[in-house]
Amino acid sequence: NALKPSEEDQSEAVAEKAAVTGTVEICGKAFAGDATGWTQSVTKVSDSEYTVTFPEGSVKNVAGNKTWAGTLKIKTSDFGPLKAEGEVHFGKPIKALPANFEPFDAVAPFETVGGLVQDKQADYPHWVQASGSVEAGLVKMTSNKDKVMAYYAPVAKNMYVDIEGEGTFTLKIQESRNCDVNPGWRTIRVLHAEDMPFAGEIALNPESHFIKITPSSISGTVTLNGFIISDADGSYGDSGVENVAAEGNGPVEVFNLSGISLGVFDNLGEAGLPAGLYLVKSAKGVAKVIL
């Protein structure tokens, strides 16, 4: 169960939820917890915020030759209540998933649960607001006021994004159960210029119903080439990302499922990649490929 804000010190419960067990992904790299010989440090900051400190050696990569140490901020009650009748934006969510945001320049491309018809781009459920340009196949964001946002009713498992960038920027991908009440948005991925190009899946909380993609700071251009929300089973339907067998057609750019580019290859069959599941970008589009 989620921790709720309380005057009581919940450090013990926070430590239990933040325990380092199994394998986790940090900045695209796999790390495994090792609790031998160290004590987790938890500090209460307020009734709704705690910090957890992991000392050097407590979190190691699976090869055992790299470690991660640092302090994480944990907030209680990340999600507010679901929207109720009479609240702002009630009745506007996308009725069915998967949902492909292309064409980005369309207004009201989705059927909504409440039957409301979107009458402008800067509104839910297909909110596209950009200072650069909004075209059918892409959105160029050049201001920290630019954003692409979705509001959907069914449960979604993942989202897929295809992003390129120039200059310097901090791009935040956020989710929310109800973005109009506290605590509002929760950041689930932060991307910078060195992460570009990025084409990958991002897991969503099943309680989420809102997604926002926005540069919190930018001196340059962020180009969103693709944005698709899967259904509860992780399927993108006919939205452009499919499970297919590997093909030899090239050139192709291959990404792992964390969105990290693994290189451009003339022939996928000769890429020399280990067996697994990848995202492959080619002239035909993007496909989930099993090698």
Side-chain angles (χ1 to χ4, degrees):
N1 295 331
L3 296 174
K4 303 296 182 183
S6 173
E7 295 181 356
E8 297 181 7
D9 190 335
Q10 303 181 85
S11 295
E12 185 174 341
V14 170
E16 181 178 342
K17 289 182 175 294
V20 196
T21 57
T23 301
V24 297
E25 186 176 289
I26 302 173
C27 298
K29 303 294 183 181
F31 287 81
D34 181 0
T36 305
W38 64 277
T39 303
Q40 194 175 50
S41 174
V42 178
T43 303
K44 181 178 180 180
V45 178
S46 68
D47 290 347
S48 60
E49 185 177 320
Y50 291 78
T51 58
V52 183
T53 301
F54 298 92
E56 188 68 34
S58 60
V59 184
K60 301 176 182 178
N61 69 344
V62 293
N65 57 7
K66 293 183 180 179
T67 65
W68 179 87
T71 298
L72 300 180
K73 180 189 294 184
I74 293 180
K75 290 187 175 182
T76 60
S77 188
D78 279 332
F79 284 115
L82 285 171
K83 282 198 172 295
E85 187 171 357
E87 286 188 49
V88 63
H89 302 311
F90 181 81
K92 294 183 179 180
I94 298 168
K95 185 175 182 179
L97 296 177
N100 188 349
F101 252 57
E102 291 187 53
F104 290 106
D105 58 355
V107 177
F110 300 125
E111 182 181 358
T112 63
V113 169
L116 300 178
V117 179
Q118 183 178 346
D119 60 5
K120 57 184 179 181
Q121 280 192 330
D123 196 6
Y124 290 115
H126 182 269
W127 192 312
V128 180
Q129 179 179 329
S131 304
S133 63
V134 179
E135 304 172 26
L138 59 85
V139 177
K140 289 184 178 291
M141 294 184 274
T142 58
S143 166
N144 61 5
K145 295 182 180 179
D146 294 346
K147 54 193 173 185
V148 174
M149 300 194 293
Y151 177 22
Y152 54 94
V155 172
K157 183 177 182 180
N158 301 310
M159 61 181 286
Y160 165 81
V161 286
D162 182 349
I163 305 169
E164 296 175 315
E166 300 174 349
T168 58
F169 54 84
T170 297
L171 184 70
K172 290 187 177 181
I173 299 175
Q174 301 175 307
E175 65 179 355
S176 179
R177 192 181 191 203
N178 185 343
C179 64
D180 297 306
V181 300
N182 288 328
W185 295 102
R186 178 170 68 177
T187 301
I188 54 177
R189 186 67 64 90
V190 177
L191 299 171
H192 300 95
E194 56 266 28
D195 301 313
M196 299 295 114
F198 181 94
E201 287 186 307
I202 299 174
L204 295 168
N205 190 302
E207 292 292 330
S208 292
H209 293 283
F210 290 85
I211 296 170
K212 177 164 68 172
I213 304 170
T214 183
S216 59
S217 64
I218 185 169
S219 178
T221 303
V222 170
T223 302
L224 181 63
N225 296 308
F227 172 31
I228 311 170
I229 306 168
S230 82
D231 63 15
D233 296 322
S235 171
Y236 295 100
D238 59 358
S239 298
V241 178
E242 304 174 356
N243 287 303
V244 297
E247 296 180 354
N249 299 326
V252 295
E253 186 168 11
V254 182
F255 298 80
N256 63 21
L257 295 185
S258 297
I260 308 300
S261 176
L262 303 177
V264 177
F265 305 96
D266 289 330
N267 189 308
L268 183 57
E270 298 176 358
L273 296 169
L277 186 61
Y278 299 89
L279 290 170
V280 176
K281 185 177 179 182
S282 69
K284 295 182 178 180
V286 179
K288 256 188 197 177
V289 172
I290 301 171
L291 295 179

